[in-house]
Amino acid sequence: MGNKKVSKIGVLTSGGDAPGMNAAIRAVVRTGLYHGLEVFGIMRGYSGMIDDDIFPMNSRSVANIIQRGGTVLKTARSMEFMEHAGRKIAYENLKKRGIDGLVIIGGDGSFKGAQKFSNEFDIPCIGLPGTIDKDIAGSDFTIGFDTAVNTAVGAIDKIRDTADAHDRLFIVEVMGRDAGYIALHSGISTGAENILIPETETDIEALISSLSEQEKRKKLVNIIVVAEGDKYGANEISTIIKKRLPQADTRVCILGHIQRGGSPTCLDRLIASRMGFAAVECLLNGTNNVMVGILNNQLHYTPLDHAIKAKQKISEDWLNIVKILAS
Ligand code: ATP
């Protein structure tokens, strides 16, 4: 917390892109302008701060972008920003324009950078959780997660059609880095018979016996959704199943980057708009170094260092739902 008044703010997107980042940029720009602030766009995350790729934005700069995936400010990972020397150059570039507040839309790595930068140079930084992985504590949703899950759901539904037509067992790998949320949500929503996530120990024997049991019941169509961060990737699971159940017609589908792009869902546009609006309010009222989240449909502010350290936990309820509904 602090009470420094801001007059010129910068906004950037950093780390992996996520659908809804544009809606967040739009909200930051328009809320800032509404309050009489000057708003600057910073290109390619922290790289643009170091390379001085910074430009003034107006209301028209963000027209017609709310429905677009990706990010009009582009995004990047910057090795130079990891070092104090790089952050100092970035600070000089902000200072010469009088930029005295920042909104960072990105993941936990971006928040680590923001936290360091703010401590070193006394520029208040507000983080917005922009990541499809939902691997940040302090928000029920992260910008991009809902779109990514819906993309995965659409794809798995299609895969089930062909699995059903051929009596096949499909192993579908979804994104999420070391978090299993995309797998959990898309798996439950598509009625997947098994969901393998890094948050729980994958029990191969239990998986094989459930598949054999289903086979006995003449249930030959199976969808196994595997999170990319699970101990076994889709290919390894497939190899094991082919060895243990050679009679099963097993196929692998890795959904990959289609989960990152596309027009954001209504939910992602809404949360991005609310969070972008709240970020500017934070800078105006002197709240520093927090991540804006939404918990129980209320805006919620988590100190950046907590958003960095803590990961969301998957509750037992969710795991029970998976067990009972997939039987
Ligand atoms: P995603 O979850 O989509 O990968 P992210 O924000 O976690 O997004 P990272 O690549 O981890 O993505 O971080 C983005 C950028 O933040 C890095 O390229 C770097 O410039 C900066 N950054 C990350 N960690 C630190 C750190 N410890 N110190 C300073 N800067 C950092």
Side-chain angles (χ1 to χ4, degrees):
M1 292 284 199
N3 50 17
K4 206 175 131 200
K5 282 265 169 284
V6 293
S7 60
K8 298 185 185 185
I9 63 171
V11 56
L12 59 89
T13 48
S14 170
D17 67 309
M21 281 183 159
N22 282 326
I25 296 166
R26 174 179 177 272
V28 170
V29 171
R30 294 208 170 154
T31 309
L33 295 172
Y34 172 82
H35 287 290
L37 303 178
E38 284 182 50
V39 185
F40 291 83
I42 300 168
M43 297 299 293
R44 296 184 310 283
Y46 296 126
S47 302
M49 251 159 84
I50 293 172
D51 303 341
D52 203 18
D53 200 351
I54 301 171
F55 66 102
M57 297 185 87
N58 59 36
S59 189
R60 293 301 89 205
S61 322
V62 290
N64 200 21
I65 65 168
I66 194 168
Q67 77 281 19
R68 286 168 56 192
T71 157
V72 293
L73 293 178
K74 299 192 181 284
T75 184
R77 303 189 199 272
S78 164
M79 292 315 288
E80 272 181 282
F81 198 78
M82 307 283 280
E83 308 297 329
H84 176 79
R87 294 193 292 276
K88 181 136 188 346
I89 297 170
Y91 172 68
E92 298 298 340
N93 287 328
L94 297 187
K95 200 174 140 195
K96 75 180 179 204
R97 288 187 175 78
I99 296 173
D100 48 13
L102 277 183
V103 179
I104 294 103
I105 308 163
D108 62 343
S110 304
F111 297 163
K112 278 182 203 155
Q115 175 86 3
K116 274 196 190 157
F117 185 70
S118 186
N119 289 342
E120 287 167 344
F121 300 108
D122 195 27
I123 298 244
C125 291
I126 305 296
L128 301 187
T131 165
I132 64 168
D133 305 331
K134 203 165 95 81
D135 56 354
I136 293 174
S139 192
D140 288 337
F141 294 98
T142 56
I143 297 167
F145 172 74
D146 187 61
T147 307
V149 167
N150 276 289
T151 301
V153 165
I156 298 168
D157 283 347
K158 292 185 175 96
I159 289 167
R160 190 179 278 284
D161 286 346
T162 187
D164 197 42
H166 291 271
D167 285 337
R168 273 184 188 149
L169 189 164
F170 261 94
I171 301 159
V172 185
E173 187 175 294
V174 298
M175 278 186 159
R177 292 216 298 191
D178 51 2
Y181 282 98
I182 296 180
L184 187 70
H185 286 226
S186 64
I188 291 174
S189 307
T190 54
E193 279 72 16
N194 286 281
I195 302 171
L196 311 184
I197 54 175
E199 290 83 352
T200 57
E201 187 69 32
T202 293
D203 183 341
I204 291 290
E205 289 313 313
L207 176 68
I208 298 292
S209 84
S210 92
L211 292 173
S212 316
E213 185 55 39
Q214 285 167 20
E215 200 181 23
K216 276 188 215 139
R217 290 192 278 130
K218 303 272 177 250
K219 187 175 190 304
L220 302 172
V221 182
N222 260 293
I223 303 280
I224 303 175
V225 175
V226 186
E228 67 176 335
D230 188 65
K231 189 169 121 193
Y232 303 93
N235 285 319
E236 198 178 336
I237 289 287
S238 165
T239 307
I240 295 168
I241 292 174
K242 279 181 176 162
K243 211 162 149 197
R244 302 280 301 273
L245 299 169
Q247 68 281 23
D249 188 3
T250 306
R251 299 292 152 95
V252 169
C253 180
I254 296 176
L255 295 187
H257 279 82
I258 60 159
Q259 294 159 94
R260 266 197 190 282
S263 183
T265 58
C266 173
L267 179 64
D268 273 329
R269 297 180 201 194
L270 279 177
I271 63 163
S273 300
R274 287 180 77 187
M275 290 175 182
F277 168 87
V280 176
E281 300 275 317
C282 283
L283 288 173
L284 286 169
N285 68 26
T287 307
N288 299 346
N289 298 349
V290 296
M291 182 198 82
V292 179
I294 295 177
L295 281 181
N296 300 323
N297 206 23
Q298 300 292 317
L299 287 162
H300 183 85
Y301 305 92
T302 305
L304 278 181
D305 53 358
H306 187 69
I308 292 164
K309 281 187 205 125
K311 297 273 177 195
Q312 294 196 11
K313 285 221 166 67
I314 291 180
S315 77
E316 280 299 314
D317 290 356
W318 283 96
L319 301 175
N320 276 334
I321 290 171
V322 174
K323 241 185 265 159
I324 293 165
L325 298 192
S327 56

